[in-house]
Amino acid sequence: MKENKEIPLAGVKEIARRADVSRATVDRVIHNRTGVSEKTRKRILAIIEELDYQPNVLARRLALASRGTVRLGVLLPSASEETEYWKAPLEGMNRAEAEIRQYGVLVSYYFFDQNLQSTFTAQVNRIINDALDGVLIAPIFEKESIQLLNHCKEKGIPCVLMNSDIPGMERLCYIGPELFDSGYLSAQLAHYCLQPGRKAVVVNIARKIKRNVAILEKVEGFQAYFREKDSEELLLSFHTTDTDYDSVASGLSALLEKEPQIGVLYVTNSRVVLVAEWLENIGRKDIILIGYDFLSGNIRFLEKGYIDFLICEKPQEQGYRGIMTLFRHLVFSVTAHEDYLTPIDIVTSANYKFYRN
Amino acid sequence: MKENKEIPLAGVKEIARRADVSRATVDRVIHNRTGVSEKTRKRILAIIEELDYQPNVLARRLALASRGTVRLGVLLPSASEETEYWKAPLEGMNRAEAEIRQYGVLVSYYFFDQNLQSTFTAQVNRIINDALDGVLIAPIFEKESIQLLNHCKEKGIPCVLMNSDIPGMERLCYIGPELFDSGYLSAQLAHYCLQPGRKAVVVNIARKIKRNVAILEKVEGFQAYFREKDSEELLLSFHTTDTDYDSVASGLSALLEKEPQIGVLYVTNSRVVLVAEWLENIGRKDIILIGYDFLSGNIRFLEKGYIDFLICEKPQEQGYRGIMTLFRHLVFSVTAHEDYLTPIDIVTSANYKFYRN
DNA sequence: CTGAAAGCGCTTACAG
DNA sequence: CTGAAAGCGCTTACAG
C-alpha cells in the first residue's frame, strides 16, 4: 500500500569514481560535448543509465551563475486608462524576473501605445538597436512585428510571441489563447442561455477591426458555433470604432430599438465594461452579457449582475511563461518548441473570488 | 518608456568585506542567531539594508542539501476503478516530489479505500507509527482524521489538509475548493440553462451521504442559489447509495417518469458519468447535465454532448501545493498560514482541450 | 563573540 | 582525449 522510492542520488562525483575518470570528463558526456573517446563515453553513459542519474538543477544553475548577464526585452502595450489589461502580463513578467534575477537575467520593457502605430515602430527600432539576447513580443501591429521577427531571425535572437500569434512566422513559440476557440466557447455559453425566440449580437468595440486578428478570429469562432447549431439567423452584429461610452450606448440603443428581442450580447474584448454600463443605465439585467478579461471594472459589473460571463485567458501566466521560456532557452538550452495554449476560463459572479490570473 | 533596474547583487562575501567581519558572522546576523555583539549586528544589518541584500535561494538550498532527510507522509484514497479522480492529486505530488527530491525530501504514500473505513484507520496507525516529519491528509473519514490531527498536534508534526476541510481543527492550512461556492456556481449555470417551466434535480450518488461533507456542502450551495432566485419550487432531489449503473438508471428513470419536465441534472461528484450513460441510453441530449472532475470517462461524454458542464478544482495542483507547503515549512521555515482555495473551473466541450488540472 | 576552512553538486578555463 | 583546481553563494562544524 505504501510507495517509497529510495533513491541513492548519485552525482557526477560518484559516476566519475565508478568510471575511473575525472568529473570533467563525465560533464563532457552529460552535455554531449566532443573530446571524449567513444570507449569512455559508452562506459560513462552506461553508468549514468544504471544509476538513473538526475542532475542537480540547483548546483547546475549556481555554477552557471558566473556567466555574463542575459538581456531580455519585452515589447508590450502600456496599461492605459482605457484598459488595465496589460498590467496582468506585466505582473507575471515581474514575478518571473524576480525568480531568475539571481541567474544574471535582466529584463527591459519597451512599452507602446496600442492606438499609435508610430510608438510601436519606435520601440521596435530601439529593440533592434539594443542588441538583446532574447525578445518577448505582443504583436499587436502585424507588419512591424514581422519586421522585428525577421531581424531577430537574421541575428539568431530567439523570439517568443504572446497574446496573439502570427501564423507562419518563425519563432520559439507562441504563448496565448486559441482565439477561435475562445469565440466558439462564448457562443456555446450564449446558446445555452438564449431563451426561445431571442437573438445574440456580436459586439466589436475597437479602433481597428479590419485587420485585428484578435477580434476577427473570435468572431469567426462565435459564428462557427451558431452555424453548426443551424442558428445563424439568430446572429446579429454591431461594430464601432469609437470607443467612448456615448458612441457605444447610442449605437446599441438604436440596435435594440430595431431588434427588441436581443437576448445575448457578446463583446469581443475587455470593453465589455461600456456595454455593462449601458445595460445598467437602461435597466436591462435580463440581457445576458459576455465579455473579456478579469479587470476591476468588469468584476464590478459581474458582481452587480450586468455582466454574466467573463472569458479570461491567464494573462499573468502568459507574461510569466514568456519570460521563463526565453530564460530556459538561453541559460539552460531547454527549448520549448511547442506553443503553450492557455486555458480559456469562464468567470462568473459565483467563482470570480477564486480566480487566479 | 523603458524600465531597467540595475542590481549590483551583493552577497554575503561583499557584506562581510564591508563590515570587516567573516562570512560566518554575517550568516549569524542574517539568520537571527545568537553569538554576535550588538554593535557588529547593527553594523551588518545597516549594510544589508543599504545593499538591499537578497539571499541566493539556490546557494542556500544547495548548502542545506547535506542535511538529513525530511520524511513526508500522504494519506489519500487510492485511485479505484470506480473513480480515477485521485490519480490527479497523486500526479501533482509526484511532480513536487521530483522537484524537491534533491533537497533530501522523501514522500511516503498511505493509500486507503474510500469505501472502507477500516483501511483508513489502519493507515492512520501506520502514519503515527512511522513518526514522519510532516503529513498531508485527505480527511475523507472525519472522526479518524481528527484523531490523527490531534496526534500530530501533540507531537508538533505539521499537517496540511486537502480536498475537504475539517473546520475548527488546528492545521498548517487547507488546500482545496470552497465547496459551498462550488455548488452555488453549479446552480448558477443550471439556472442560466433552465428553459421556462422546467426543473432542476440534485443527484447524489455515493455510498455515504449523511455525513459526507464534500457532498452536503455542495448541495447547500446549490439550494442557496435557487432560494435566492425564489425558484426553490423548481428543485428536486435524488439520492442513491448504490453506485452501480443499474441502480442509478432505474432510479432516475422512475423520477423522470414522475417529473417529465426535468431540464437540468446536477450530480455532486464524479459519478456524473453514470448519469451521462443513462442519458445516452434514453437518448436525451436536451437535458442539461452538470457534474464533477476532469476524468477521461467524463470527457468522453462531454465530447458526445451528454455532459454539458464539468466543474473542476485543480486536483493536480492541490497535490502539488500540499507537498510544497510542507516542504517549505519544514526545510525553509516558510509557513503559509493561509488556506489556498482553488479556483472553481467550468469545463465544457468547447474549452476542455486547453484545461490544465 | 568571531573566523578559517570545508562542503553542497555542478561547470569551466587551463594545462597537458 | 583527459584531469586538477578553482569557483558559483551560502552554511556549518570546529577551534579559538
Side-chain angles (χ1 to χ4, degrees):
Chain A
M1 272 283 215
K2 178 177 159 189
E3 273 179 29
N4 209 333
K5 307 174 219 148
E6 291 281 351
I7 300 112
L9 276 189
V12 170
K13 196 155 73 180
E14 172 65 9
I15 297 171
R17 197 186 60 74
R18 296 206 190 195
D20 199 26
V21 296
S22 75
R23 281 132 90 197
T25 301
V26 174
D27 195 70
R28 287 182 187 104
V29 173
I30 287 172
H31 292 93
N32 263 317
R33 277 192 269 273
T34 56
V36 184
S37 74
E38 202 45 40
K39 205 180 128 195
T40 350
R41 179 180 299 277
K42 282 212 171 127
R43 185 153 35 98
I44 293 175
L45 280 175
I47 295 172
I48 287 178
E49 180 83 11
E50 190 199 340
L51 294 177
D52 185 27
Y53 167 71
Q54 302 290 352
N56 184 321
V57 191
L58 250 66
R60 178 175 287 179
R61 291 191 192 181
L62 188 58
L64 253 40
S66 45
R67 284 202 194 160
T69 298
V70 171
R71 299 176 60 229
L72 303 182
V74 184
L75 180 57
L76 81 169
S78 48
S80 58
E81 272 179 55
E82 211 174 348
T83 171
E84 52 173 322
Y85 174 79
W86 287 95
K87 268 169 75 177
L90 190 59
E91 276 164 22
M93 294 174 200
N94 287 332
R95 193 156 54 87
E97 207 185 336
E99 239 175 69
I100 61 180
R101 201 179 358 238
Q102 318 186 309
Y103 316 128
V105 176
L106 221 59
V107 183
S108 305
Y109 298 94
Y110 300 79
F111 295 106
F112 61 88
D113 182 336
Q114 275 195 84
N115 296 320
L116 276 177
Q117 189 189 292
S118 62
T119 62
F120 189 86
T121 311
Q123 295 293 42
V124 165
N125 289 332
R126 291 191 51 211
I127 289 178
I128 291 177
N129 201 51
D130 286 355
L132 302 156
D133 301 303
V135 186
L136 176 58
I137 306 170
I140 306 288
F141 296 96
E142 189 162 313
K143 220 175 89 190
E144 291 73 14
S145 300
I146 290 179
Q147 252 175 3
L148 180 53
L149 284 169
N150 281 332
H151 170 264
C152 289
K153 184 180 168 186
E154 214 171 278
K155 298 280 181 185
I157 301 170
C159 289
V160 170
L161 294 186
M162 63 175 292
N163 196 60
S164 64
D165 200 7
I166 302 185
M169 288 305 291
E170 198 169 308
R171 71 275 186 292
L172 214 54
C173 68
Y174 163 63
I175 296 173
E178 190 73 271
L179 294 162
F180 179 92
D181 292 74
S182 172
Y184 191 87
L185 172 67
S186 305
Q188 189 185 44
L189 291 175
H191 197 261
Y192 273 126
C193 296
L194 218 48
Q195 298 289 332
R198 301 186 76 174
K199 292 187 175 179
V201 189
V202 174
V203 180
N204 294 319
I205 309 172
R207 295 274 165 87
K208 289 197 168 195
I209 296 176
K210 277 271 155 49
R211 289 185 320 175
N212 191 324
V213 189
I215 286 185
L216 295 179
E217 281 200 41
K218 289 177 194 165
V219 173
E220 268 185 44
F222 197 91
Q223 291 171 335
Y225 188 89
F226 275 78
R227 207 174 304 129
E228 279 175 27
K229 294 281 172 185
D230 294 320
S231 314
E232 239 183 329
E233 73 287 353
L234 297 180
L235 221 47
L236 306 170
S237 65
F238 171 85
H239 303 255
T240 171
T241 51
D242 296 315
T243 61
D244 58 294
Y245 174 75
D246 288 338
S247 309
V248 171
S250 65
L252 285 171
S253 294
L255 179 67
L256 185 57
E257 195 152 339
K258 219 179 79 195
E259 302 272 6
Q261 72 287 46
I262 287 173
V264 175
L265 296 167
Y266 168 55
V267 185
T268 53
N269 60 21
S270 61
R271 301 241 170 50
V272 61
V273 68
L274 299 175
V275 180
E277 211 179 319
W278 170 69
L279 284 181
E280 185 180 33
N281 287 338
I282 64 168
R284 289 292 298 269
K285 250 186 195 166
D286 64 303
I287 296 180
I288 302 287
L289 180 54
I290 305 174
Y292 280 85
D293 300 333
F294 197 80
L295 307 178
S296 54
N298 291 349
I299 297 301
R300 220 173 37 244
F301 282 109
L302 200 65
E303 283 171 332
K304 283 194 196 171
Y306 290 101
I307 294 181
D308 298 89
F309 298 101
L310 282 176
I311 307 298
C312 307
E313 285 138 350
K314 301 245 185 290
Q316 206 190 311
E317 203 188 326
Q318 285 184 41
Y320 177 83
R321 281 185 179 270
I323 296 293
M324 292 307 273
T325 301
L326 284 169
F327 163 69
R328 280 193 284 262
H329 174 74
L330 288 164
V331 179
F332 295 121
S333 314
V334 177
T335 303
H337 285 288
E338 284 205 355
D339 295 347
Y340 181 88
L341 296 173
T342 53
I344 307 176
D345 293 321
I346 303 166
V347 175
T348 80
S349 61
N351 71 353
Y352 79 91
K353 269 177 276 171
F354 310 106
Y355 190 64
R356 316 208 173 230
N357 249 337
Chain B
M1 273 284 216
K2 178 176 158 189
E3 273 177 29
N4 208 333
K5 306 174 221 147
E6 291 282 351
I7 300 114
L9 276 190
V12 170
K13 195 155 75 179
E14 173 66 9
I15 297 171
R17 198 186 60 74
R18 295 207 191 195
D20 198 25
V21 295
S22 76
R23 279 132 92 196
T25 302
V26 174
D27 195 69
R28 287 182 187 104
V29 172
I30 287 172
H31 292 93
N32 264 316
R33 278 193 268 272
T34 56
V36 183
S37 75
E38 203 44 41
K39 205 178 129 196
T40 348
R41 179 179 299 277
K42 282 213 171 129
R43 186 153 35 97
I44 293 174
L45 281 176
I47 295 171
I48 286 178
E49 180 82 12
E50 190 198 339
L51 294 178
D52 184 27
Y53 168 71
Q54 304 289 351
N56 184 320
V57 190
L58 250 63
R60 178 175 288 178
R61 292 188 192 184
L62 187 59
L64 252 42
S66 45
R67 282 202 195 160
T69 298
V70 171
R71 299 176 61 227
L72 303 182
V74 185
L75 179 58
L76 80 170
S78 49
S80 58
E81 270 179 55
E82 211 175 350
T83 170
E84 51 174 321
Y85 174 81
W86 287 96
K87 268 170 74 176
L90 190 59
E91 276 165 21
M93 294 173 201
N94 287 331
R95 193 157 53 86
E97 208 186 335
E99 240 174 68
I100 61 182
R101 203 182 355 241
Q102 320 187 309
Y103 316 129
V105 176
L106 221 58
V107 183
S108 305
Y109 299 94
Y110 300 79
F111 296 106
F112 61 89
D113 181 337
Q114 277 195 82
N115 295 320
L116 275 177
Q117 190 189 292
S118 61
T119 62
F120 189 87
T121 311
Q123 295 293 41
V124 165
N125 289 331
R126 292 191 53 212
I127 290 179
I128 291 177
N129 201 52
D130 285 355
L132 303 156
D133 301 303
V135 186
L136 176 57
I137 307 169
I140 306 289
F141 296 96
E142 189 163 313
K143 221 175 88 191
E144 291 72 16
S145 301
I146 290 178
Q147 252 174 0
L148 180 53
L149 283 170
N150 281 332
H151 170 264
C152 289
K153 183 182 169 185
E154 213 172 278
K155 298 279 181 186
I157 300 169
C159 289
V160 170
L161 294 186
M162 62 174 293
N163 196 58
S164 63
D165 200 7
I166 302 185
M169 288 304 292
E170 198 169 308
R171 71 277 187 291
L172 214 56
C173 67
Y174 164 64
I175 296 173
E178 189 72 273
L179 295 162
F180 179 92
D181 291 75
S182 173
Y184 191 87
L185 172 68
S186 305
Q188 189 184 45
L189 291 175
H191 197 262
Y192 272 126
C193 296
L194 219 47
Q195 299 288 332
R198 301 188 74 175
K199 292 187 177 181
V201 189
V202 174
V203 179
N204 294 320
I205 308 172
R207 296 275 165 86
K208 289 198 166 196
I209 296 177
K210 278 271 154 49
R211 288 186 321 175
N212 192 322
V213 189
I215 285 185
L216 295 179
E217 281 199 42
K218 288 176 196 167
V219 173
E220 268 185 43
F222 197 92
Q223 291 171 335
Y225 188 89
F226 274 78
R227 207 173 304 130
E228 277 175 27
K229 294 281 173 186
D230 294 320
S231 313
E232 240 184 330
E233 73 287 353
L234 297 180
L235 221 47
L236 306 169
S237 64
F238 171 85
H239 303 255
T240 172
T241 51
D242 296 316
T243 61
D244 58 294
Y245 174 75
D246 288 339
S247 308
V248 172
S250 65
L252 284 172
S253 293
L255 179 67
L256 185 57
E257 194 154 338
K258 218 180 79 192
E259 302 271 7
Q261 71 286 48
I262 287 173
V264 175
L265 295 168
Y266 168 55
V267 185
T268 53
N269 60 21
S270 61
R271 301 238 170 52
V272 61
V273 67
L274 300 175
V275 181
E277 213 179 319
W278 170 69
L279 284 181
E280 185 180 32
N281 287 337
I282 64 167
R284 290 292 299 269
K285 248 184 198 167
D286 62 304
I287 296 180
I288 302 287
L289 180 54
I290 304 174
Y292 279 85
D293 301 335
F294 197 80
L295 308 178
S296 55
N298 292 348
I299 297 300
R300 219 173 38 244
F301 283 109
L302 200 65
E303 283 171 332
K304 283 195 196 169
Y306 291 101
I307 294 182
D308 298 88
F309 299 100
L310 282 175
I311 308 298
C312 307
E313 285 138 351
K314 300 240 184 294
Q316 204 190 311
E317 203 187 326
Q318 285 183 41
Y320 177 83
R321 279 184 182 271
I323 295 293
M324 292 308 272
T325 301
L326 284 169
F327 163 69
R328 278 193 285 262
H329 175 74
L330 288 164
V331 179
F332 295 121
S333 315
V334 177
T335 304
H337 285 289
E338 284 204 357
D339 294 346
Y340 180 87
L341 297 172
T342 52
I344 306 175
D345 293 321
I346 302 166
V347 175
T348 81
S349 62
N351 70 354
Y352 81 91
K353 269 177 276 171
F354 310 107
Y355 189 65
R356 316 211 171 228
N357 250 337

